């Protein structure tokens, strides 16, 4: 038996990004009590960094699938983090090192998802606000902050250059192959070898149906004026999705750029502009108001 064989004869292979960021990644980069963690910080552009992972003397916080907003509990947290962001745009992995050189590392990872360049950049921009807030509150120098994207080579080639540094899973595998937990080294190797067959379905590729990108405010204004030529719009997970709900709750819908189309798109991420306007109507000032 082997991991490769089990992928064909056992449980269907895990395609969840959370598995790779929350399980596989730590088993590689945190191996041997963080002895080789500096390889990751070097890939991120922070240089080789030595950390102490011992329970009694640890100077590192390594959080995967972290929710900053959900973690702000109690008076002490409110005192240390006043006027904190309220959006849930925390990167997949957050690392804080409180050593001679304070460091903050934020990682947004993708595996089998296929976002467009615009959608990925939008996500990174939203995260940048939280990263900057934490940088200031933790007293980390600008040069000691790294916000990176961790992507498979195939996706990295497709989205092209991003506003942040890109690390590929393939490069991470190469760097940690000799020190990571062998089981998870092989798990990542198999995951990448099967990448073409495990991709998200093609109809879920964001950006493929877009004819234009308009901010929510532009969409509402043109709709109300009767000049809108794109009566269909898209947002990840559609009209009832958490992403659009967060846009509306936070008020970000006014400036978020949405994909728009003049034709009906048979995709669960797309919906009628009229439904969107009805959702945001209470927040729209009346004409002449």
């Amino acid at each position: 038996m082997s991991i490769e064989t089990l992928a064909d004869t056992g449980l269907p292979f895990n395609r969840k990004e959370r598995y790779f960021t929350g399980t596989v990644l730590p088993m590689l980069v945190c191996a041997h009590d963080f002895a080789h963690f500096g390889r990751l910080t070097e890939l991120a552009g922070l240089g080789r960094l030595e950390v102490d992972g011992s329970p009694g003397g640890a100077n590192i916080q390594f959080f995967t699938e972290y929710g900053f907003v959900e973690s702000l509990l109690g008076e002490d947290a409110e005192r240390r983090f006043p006027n904190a962001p309220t959006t849930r745009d925390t990167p997949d992995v957050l690392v804080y090192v409180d050593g001679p050189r304070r460091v903050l590392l934020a990682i947004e990872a993708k595996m089998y998802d296929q976002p467009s360049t615009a959608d990925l950049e939008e996500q990174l921009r939203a995260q940048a606000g939280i990263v900057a807030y934490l940088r200031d509150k933790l007293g980390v120098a600008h040069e000691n902050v790294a916000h990176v994207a961790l992507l498979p080579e195939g996706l990295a080639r497709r989205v092209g250059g991003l506003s942040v540094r890109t690390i590929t899973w393939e490069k991470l595998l190469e760097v940690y192959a000799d020190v990571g937990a062998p089981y998870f080294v092989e798990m990542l190797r198999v995951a990448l070898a099967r990448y073409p067959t495990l991709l998200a379905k093609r109809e879920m590729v964001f950006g493929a149906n877009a004819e234009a990108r308009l901010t929510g405010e532009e969409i509402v204004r043109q709709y109300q004026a009767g000049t809108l030529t794109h009566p269909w719009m898209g947002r990840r997970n559609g009209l009832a999705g958490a992403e659009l709900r967060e846009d509306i709750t936070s008020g970000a819908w006014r400036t978020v750029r949405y994909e728009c189309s003049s034709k009906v798109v048979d995709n669960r991420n797309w919906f009628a502009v009229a439904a969107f306007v009805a959702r945001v109507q209470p927040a729209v000032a009346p004409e002449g108001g």
Side-chain angles (χ1 to χ4, degrees):
M1 277 296 176
S2 67
I3 291 174
E4 186 88 57
T5 302
L6 285 170
D8 293 322
T9 62
L11 294 169
F13 199 79
N14 196 340
R15 296 175 62 254
K16 288 282 189 179
E17 285 169 4
R18 290 183 177 184
Y19 171 66
F20 293 96
T21 57
T23 301
V24 177
L25 178 67
M27 295 303 291
L28 271 58
V29 304
C30 303
H32 306 292
D33 294 328
F34 292 84
H36 310 286
F37 195 78
R39 300 186 185 190
L40 175 63
T41 58
E42 198 164 46
L43 287 174
L46 292 167
R48 188 65 66 103
L49 191 69
E50 300 296 330
V51 302
D52 184 350
S54 62
N59 67 348
I60 182 171
Q61 288 180 300
F62 182 89
F63 291 148
T64 65
E65 300 304 322
Y66 184 53
F68 173 64
V69 173
E70 295 86 346
S71 303
L72 284 176
L73 295 176
E75 294 181 2
D76 182 59
E78 293 178 2
R79 177 184 58 80
R80 293 194 300 119
F81 298 98
N83 304 314
T86 58
T87 58
R88 291 172 170 78
D89 295 308
T90 315
D92 292 317
V93 180
L94 268 180
V95 180
Y96 170 59
V97 179
D98 187 3
R101 180 163 66 102
R102 287 185 178 180
V103 166
L104 183 65
L105 170 60
I107 302 174
E108 175 57 30
K110 303 295 180 190
M111 180 54 82
Y112 298 120
D113 191 15
Q114 289 287 284
S116 68
T117 304
D119 282 320
L120 184 52
E121 284 285 17
E122 180 183 321
Q123 187 176 15
L124 292 168
R125 281 194 297 270
Q127 294 172 359
I130 287 183
V131 173
Y133 174 85
L134 292 174
R135 175 199 69 209
D136 294 342
K137 290 296 179 269
L138 294 171
V140 180
H142 285 247
E143 64 269 20
N144 291 330
V145 177
H147 186 188
V148 304
L150 178 58
L151 312 175
E153 283 182 354
L155 178 58
R157 283 194 300 270
R158 188 171 66 76
V159 299
L162 297 172
S163 57
V164 302
R165 177 187 290 253
T166 297
I167 301 171
T168 67
W169 281 103
E170 285 82 358
K171 184 62 177 179
L172 190 81
L173 177 62
E174 175 190 328
V175 168
Y176 279 95
D178 62 328
V179 294
Y183 177 90
F184 291 99
V185 168
E186 178 64 5
M187 186 64 74
L188 181 55
R189 187 198 68 76
V190 172
L192 294 172
R194 293 173 179 239
Y195 177 75
T197 60
L198 293 174
L199 285 177
K201 291 182 179 179
R202 188 65 192 170
E203 64 268 22
M204 292 297 290
V205 175
F206 296 94
N209 299 298
E211 296 176 359
R213 293 181 185 275
L214 301 174
T215 66
E217 199 161 44
E218 290 171 333
I219 291 171
V220 170
R221 185 172 63 250
Q222 292 180 27
Y223 177 84
Q224 291 178 330
T227 59
L228 185 68
T229 58
H230 300 88
W232 298 91
M233 60 187 291
R235 184 70 164 108
R236 188 186 299 270
N237 294 318
L239 185 66
E243 290 80 0
L244 184 62
R245 185 167 60 250
E246 179 64 31
D247 290 350
I248 295 172
T249 300
S250 67
W253 66 270
R254 294 180 182 275
T255 56
V256 170
R257 288 193 175 275
Y258 299 98
E259 297 175 3
C260 299
S261 175
S262 61
K263 303 181 290 293
V264 176
V265 178
D266 184 17
N267 183 313
R268 69 181 181 86
N269 301 296
W270 285 73
F271 45 91
V273 165
F276 171 75
V277 174
R279 289 279 301 274
V280 303
Q281 198 70 44
V284 178
E287 292 280 339

